[in-house]
Amino acid sequence: MGIKTWQHDRLITGPVQASVSDIEELNRVFSDSFTDRYRRDGMIGVRVPPLNPDIWRYAIRDAGEGAMLWSDEEGELLAFNMVHYSGVEGWMGPLAVRSDRQGEGLGKLIVNTAVDWLKDRGATTIGLETMPRTAENIGFYSSLDFRPGYLTVTMGSPSTKHSIAPEYLLLSGPSGSSKAGLLERCRERLNLAAPGYDFTREHQLTEELGIGDTIIIEEGSEVRGFALWHSAPLANNKGPDEVRILKLFADSVDTFEKLISSTASCAARSGISRVTIRCQTARKQAYSSLIMRGYQVSWTDLRMTLDGFEETDVGEGVVLLSNWEI
């Protein structure tokens, strides 16, 4: 059951768990609120399109009980927050409050609810990403004890430029116990570098929903790295136009470069012309490698973490990229 509370003498209900039947309403609030955000930032001509329903299905199922909705007095969607929890890593996004009800303290409510939910589940990293040009957002999250860190830089390159790749495995290849064993080896190797991190659910959901795959580099039976990617378009009513890397682990920069080449090769063979990756600037060697390969910057986000719940340090030379966007 949802919790009922008063906010400026107006009744709201929530949070309740989202389901796929909520996608149409989610898309309406998502598109309107983010378009309004861009307009207030001076980007008058930008209209944020609805998300692909397949991306919403992934977001809702990945969040599980963390897919939180709030409704107004008439039962209409008022706000949402997709709160994700993988191992010890917790993050939120997308999240939005309906444009006509902003400024009532609802943003604080949905963020604090998410923070409490993640703390209750033992998250040691709690974060989100926001546009670095939006001082209002940065100030708002800072007032809730989130602190700015480094940038996440969205970078892209034509897939045909780097289509020669080393040997790699696709998670979609093996079946049954072989697939389960491969996933377990990925989890164990990631946990060795970043204790408590676990992307198993994301690997499984991506394949189950048919929206992407995972490339795995092995040496013998030892996993050296993996890259989880989606090829389903983000915007509704569009065809596949890019492969997006969401999660990546590499035990060295050399393995990172092999993963990037393998992803480009996989995209090119599928007839997809572009590869994008959201690279955290804290991973300087990985960022430099992408620049040297000709990857170009198209967008930036500011990574913010809750005070006392910062990201885990990884070993020297290790590359760990965990996308905090869908």
Side-chain angles (χ1 to χ4, degrees):
M1 292 181 62
I3 299 172
K4 292 188 177 182
T5 184
W6 286 92
Q7 200 79 352
H8 288 256
D9 296 327
R10 303 177 81 174
L11 186 65
I12 63 172
T13 304
V16 297
Q17 185 174 341
S19 70
V20 294
S21 64
D22 298 304
I23 289 175
E24 185 175 349
E25 246 190 321
L26 282 164
N27 250 339
R28 184 166 59 251
V29 174
F30 171 85
S31 180
D32 289 347
S33 62
F34 277 91
T35 297
D36 183 62
R37 174 73 267 173
Y38 287 135
R39 179 188 61 78
R40 287 186 284 132
D41 280 346
M43 302 167 73
I44 306 298
V46 175
R47 176 68 189 175
V48 176
L51 281 178
N52 180 350
D54 286 339
I55 300 301
W56 276 119
R57 291 185 186 96
Y58 175 83
I60 290 168
R61 290 189 57 185
D62 184 54
E65 293 179 0
M68 302 180 187
L69 306 182
W70 286 261
S71 301
D72 64 14
E73 305 89 334
E74 298 177 351
E76 298 293 325
L77 183 64
L78 178 61
F80 66 85
N81 193 352
M82 300 291 120
V83 188
H84 307 266
Y85 177 53
S86 298
V88 296
E89 182 186 53
W91 55 277
M92 54 192 84
L95 67 157
V97 175
R98 207 171 66 204
S99 299
D100 65 315
R101 294 289 294 270
Q102 292 180 7
E104 297 180 12
L106 297 173
K108 179 178 180 180
L109 172 66
I110 70 172
V111 172
N112 282 340
T113 300
V115 166
D116 290 342
W117 188 84
L118 289 169
K119 286 180 177 179
D120 286 346
R121 280 149 184 80
T124 59
T125 294
I126 298 177
L128 53 83
E129 291 183 340
T130 189
M131 291 187 291
R133 65 174 288 161
T134 308
E136 181 182 329
N137 277 9
I138 296 169
F140 166 70
Y141 291 123
S142 294
S143 73
L144 300 179
D145 291 331
F146 283 82
R147 299 294 176 255
Y150 42 82
L151 293 177
T152 292
V153 181
T154 302
M155 311 173 74
S157 175
S159 60
T160 53
K161 284 186 68 175
H162 311 289
S163 58
I164 299 174
E167 280 191 39
Y168 62 85
L169 297 172
L170 286 173
L171 183 62
S172 58
S175 59
S177 59
S178 296
K179 179 173 296 183
L182 186 57
L183 271 174
E184 179 61 17
R185 293 200 301 277
C186 287
R187 187 197 65 79
E188 289 176 348
R189 186 62 188 87
L190 173 61
N191 187 67
L192 187 63
Y197 277 64
D198 184 359
F199 300 142
T200 302
R201 184 180 68 254
E202 286 87 346
H203 293 303
Q204 293 171 327
L205 269 178
T206 293
E207 186 189 358
E208 181 183 337
L209 294 172
I211 58 176
D213 211 328
T214 301
I215 285 173
I216 300 163
I217 302 289
E218 283 195 306
E219 189 173 288
S221 60
E222 182 181 355
V223 171
R224 303 295 302 273
F226 60 78
L228 165 64
W229 51 266
H230 286 177
S231 56
L234 283 172
N236 197 15
N237 297 321
K238 285 186 64 177
D241 57 358
E242 65 180 11
V243 161
R244 302 181 305 281
I245 297 175
L246 273 68
K247 308 285 184 182
L248 183 145
F249 161 74
D251 63 0
S252 66
V253 175
D254 179 63
T255 300
F256 172 77
E257 292 177 346
K258 290 177 180 178
L259 285 168
I260 298 302
S261 294
S262 299
T263 305
S265 174
C266 202
R269 290 177 184 178
S270 301
I272 298 174
S273 62
R274 185 171 178 81
V275 175
T276 62
I277 182 168
R278 288 168 50 82
C279 183
Q280 285 80 61
T281 53
R283 314 302 183 202
K284 294 180 180 179
Q285 290 178 299
Y287 184 80
S288 296
S289 174
L290 292 168
I291 292 294
M292 291 294 291
R293 285 172 169 264
Y295 275 68
Q296 296 184 338
V297 174
S298 60
W299 192 256
T300 57
D301 289 286
L302 178 66
R303 201 136 163 132
M304 301 184 74
T305 52
L306 188 67
D307 193 23
F309 291 81
E310 292 79 16
E311 293 180 78
T312 299
D313 289 331
V314 296
E316 186 175 353
V318 171
V319 179
L320 176 59
L321 303 177
S322 180
N323 186 25
W324 287 355
E325 293 282 349
I326 293 299

